[in-house]
Amino acid sequence: MTFNLDTLPDPLVFEVCNWLDIYSLCALSEVNRALRHLSTTQPSFWIYTLSHCGIMLPLMMTSPLHAYPAVDLHLAAHRAIMIEANFGSTHPRLRSWNTITWPYEPSPGVRVEDIEWEEPIHAIYMHCLHPNGEWLLLVSTHNIVRFVHLRTGKVAAVWDKDQYVDNNDKSVMAWGLDFTDENDSIMAMNCRVDGIPAIRILEIHLDPASSLATVKSLGTHITGEVASDVTITQRYVITVIPIKGTEPNELGRIHMFNWKTHESIEMPNLYPSMSTCAAEGYMISLGLGPGNGVYAQIIGYPMDEQEESDLKHKHNSQLPVLTYQLSLIGPEWDDRTFGSSQIGHSYTGERFNFVHVWMRPKHSGSRYIFSFSFDLLELKLLHRRGYQGTPGISIVECVEESHRVLEESGLKHLVIPAASGRRFIWWRQVEELEAEEYDHSEEGESSEDGTVPTTVKAFQFLTSLMEELAPSSQVRKEVFGRRFIFQIASHYDPGSAVMKQLEASKRLEIPRELARADSPVFMFQISEWSGTILVQLESGQLFVLRYGKA
């Protein structure tokens, strides 16, 4: 007797869905009308797979996955695999592109005369690419904010009311953005009120139809100390205040306040922080602990009024903390010095959440990757026990290094991990290229066949996935603890860690104008959400490369 999947009870179908990866699940949703109807009406069809796939979904993610309608999850999953399929192909194709030259032209009604004195190298000092790939925020060395609409290349708004007139070592540019939806966001940034360090809260509305943005101040919060890092969520602003006399000087104390009520939040005893990442409901801090060990700490936010009202017995409680010690291996870590660190995390709001910590030792181009998951329910239960008077239990787990990006010789810019921590991008300067991949189309068009049988001087743009690299256990056996730099022109054994990294590298199709650009590259960013890559040259010229939606 034959049974069709769509004749089973919905709970059994959802159980089958939980065993499928995102690609198989998208295919299942299109098998017939019954399964398509189920996939667009029941969020349970998608929740488990989307929360475990690690792929950055084209959703603003200000709410847990289960709060989204099934039809939104259906669309997001299909868009995500379309982008992943292109990035994962042998030669990811450019769907469309445009370039924006300096000075950027203002939209009608936007005044830029008062800030035209800034040179590109100062104006493009710090940057943030909108997840949808349509907008760019720039913060200059003078704390002037520009909002650029990338489709038209127009400056949509300027905020210069907090600019630093006398730039000195006490004037630090630090800011954070939280996107409430595709067109609205809130921003927190360093400022001064009568010379006293403070945090400014801005409300931003983006209008793509007019290439305009409106920026409104919601007030300031006096901190009294200059923050080296600022993050904002729907309720809280999180700042890192540098600790004087520490090495490295990026370490700092974490402070938190409710930006709507200006209430300061009492923080637990945390390790000095070197980098942070904030989500709705919790934050992640990477800190330096006992013996100079490196620890990732998950800190829950205060309960809201509804959560507190559900408790029968209430006691003052510190915020809950889950702690994970990173097991750092290699001589570069003998003195626990580091060059940089980044936390990769994609918020889902579901029970199990995944974190990828990227760390680079000083004087090395290698990237050490530590991956782990944490239980959000465990964090909430720890918080409830604290409120009810039960002493909190210190939870510490050890995390082994999972993967390592080996250092490639001659790179001027090191690899840059994307927001999720899975994908990373980099570019490689080369002397000669033969029959390389270029886009010959005009701006806004995509190419069919981009091979050029010629020799040119240019650079290559590449991308790869963390899970396509050799595991760290193999890297350690082959590298033997020494600093290792490989040459792409040298021979390496098949199956070796270097060969796996080279084979996992995907050459991105890029415009000929970018490949042959005379100005050095200043920065590049990727939005996995939209499949957009932004490249900014020191001249101020922008290249907007779209590998997702054209």
Side-chain angles (χ1 to χ4, degrees), residues 59 188 200 207 260 266 309 413 440 443 451 456 470 486 490:
L59 296 168
R200 169 87 63 186
D207 183 8
K260 295 181 180 179
E266 182 181 354
S309 65
H413 283 251
H440 288 266
E443 290 185 29
T451 59
V456 295
F486 71 88
S490 299

Side-chain angles (χ1 to χ4, degrees), residues 489-509:
S490 299
H491 172 76
Y492 298 95
D493 294 335
S496 65
V498 174
M499 282 305 299
K500 288 183 179 180
Q501 182 168 322
L502 290 173
E503 290 169 355
S505 305
K506 306 297 192 299
R507 284 277 313 284
L508 293 164
E509 181 184 24

Side-chain angles (χ1 to χ4, degrees), residues 216-227:
K216 175 184 176 183
S217 174
L218 300 181
T220 57
H221 179 89
I222 301 296
T223 59
E225 297 179 282
V226 178

Side-chain angles (χ1 to χ4, degrees), residues 110-381:
V110 177
R111 292 181 55 85
V112 296
E113 292 84 355
D114 295 338
I115 60 171
E116 288 182 336
W117 52 271
E118 282 197 309
E119 297 294 327
I121 197 66
H122 301 296
I124 63 178
Y125 179 65
M126 302 179 77
H127 42 265
C128 177
L129 178 63
H130 194 292
N132 66 13
E134 299 293 316
W135 299 87
L136 175 67
L137 177 144
L138 296 169
V139 180
S140 76
T141 56
H142 302 92
N143 216 34
I144 297 173
V145 185
R146 292 169 172 84
F147 300 87
V148 181
H149 186 212
L150 296 177
R151 288 282 179 179
T152 61
K154 301 291 183 65
V155 177
V158 172
W159 180 267
D160 59 355
K161 296 181 181 180
D162 293 307
Q163 68 173 291
Y164 296 141
V165 179
D166 297 321
N167 225 358
N168 53 57
D169 58 358
K170 294 183 180 179
S171 298
V172 178
M173 279 59 65
W175 48 272
L177 273 173
D178 189 33
F179 300 99
T180 53
D181 57 44
E182 283 203 52
N183 296 323
D184 296 284
S185 59
I186 49 175
M187 178 178 180
M189 62 182 293
N190 273 349
C191 70
R192 291 184 178 273
V193 177
D194 297 327
I196 302 174
I199 298 294
R200 169 87 63 186
I201 309 298
L202 299 175
E203 182 181 65
I204 303 162
H205 175 72
L206 306 171
D207 183 8
S210 63
S211 294
L212 288 171
T214 56
V215 184
K216 175 184 176 183
S217 174
L218 300 181
T220 57
H221 179 89
I222 301 296
T223 59
E225 297 179 282
V226 178
S228 61
D229 185 64
V230 179
T231 310
I232 188 169
T233 70
Q234 294 299 300
R235 286 195 292 168
Y236 301 105
V237 169
I238 300 152
T239 63
V240 177
I241 307 299
I243 300 174
K244 296 179 180 180
T246 59
E247 286 293 338
N249 57 16
E250 291 88 352
L251 294 175
R253 307 183 311 274
I254 295 179
H255 293 255
M256 182 189 300
F257 66 89
N258 186 314
W259 61 267
K260 295 181 180 179
T261 65
H262 293 275
E263 175 190 5
S264 294
I265 308 301
E266 182 181 354
M267 299 299 293
N269 187 21
L270 302 172
Y271 296 130
S273 179
M274 59 181 82
S275 59
T276 61
C277 172
E280 299 304 321
Y282 55 86
M283 65 166 292
I284 307 171
S285 172
L286 195 64
L288 205 61
N292 285 333
V294 179
Y295 295 80
Q297 296 186 289
I298 318 297
I299 305 105
Y301 297 151
M303 290 185 178
D304 58 30
E305 294 181 1
Q306 181 60 48
E307 289 174 320
E308 285 196 47
S309 65
D310 293 338
L311 298 176
K312 294 182 180 180
H313 306 286
K314 303 175 186 176
H315 298 262
N316 292 330
S317 172
Q318 286 190 327
L319 303 182
V321 181
L322 302 177
T323 301
Y324 300 83
Q325 182 177 7
L326 309 187
S327 177
L328 304 178
I329 301 174
E332 295 94 338
W333 296 105
D334 284 347
D335 59 359
R336 294 304 193 265
T337 56
F338 63 92
S340 62
S341 60
Q342 183 170 331
I343 302 170
H345 178 59
S346 179
Y347 171 75
T348 66
E350 302 308 313
R351 179 173 178 178
F352 295 103
N353 296 265
F354 299 90
V355 180
H356 306 291
V357 176
W358 287 61
M359 301 198 70
R360 179 180 67 83
K362 280 186 176 179
H363 314 300
S364 172
S366 297
R367 293 276 190 169
Y368 295 67
I369 308 171
F370 299 83
S371 301
F372 63 94
S373 65
F374 69 92
D375 189 340
L376 190 55
L377 177 60
E378 184 179 23
L379 188 69
K380 292 180 178 179
L381 290 176

Side-chain angles (χ1 to χ4, degrees), residues 57-106:
L57 300 171
L59 296 168
M60 294 313 300
M61 295 312 300
T62 55
S63 302
L65 279 175
H66 61 257
Y68 286 88
V71 66
D72 289 354
L73 299 179
H74 179 279
L75 182 60
H78 281 76
R79 286 181 175 176
I81 65 170
M82 178 195 71
I83 296 171
E84 283 292 306
N86 190 25
F87 276 140
S89 62
T90 305
H91 296 293
R93 291 300 182 188
L94 197 58
R95 307 296 187 193
S96 69
W97 66 281
N98 65 288
T99 184
I100 306 168
T101 57
W102 180 270
Y104 310 144
E105 182 181 347

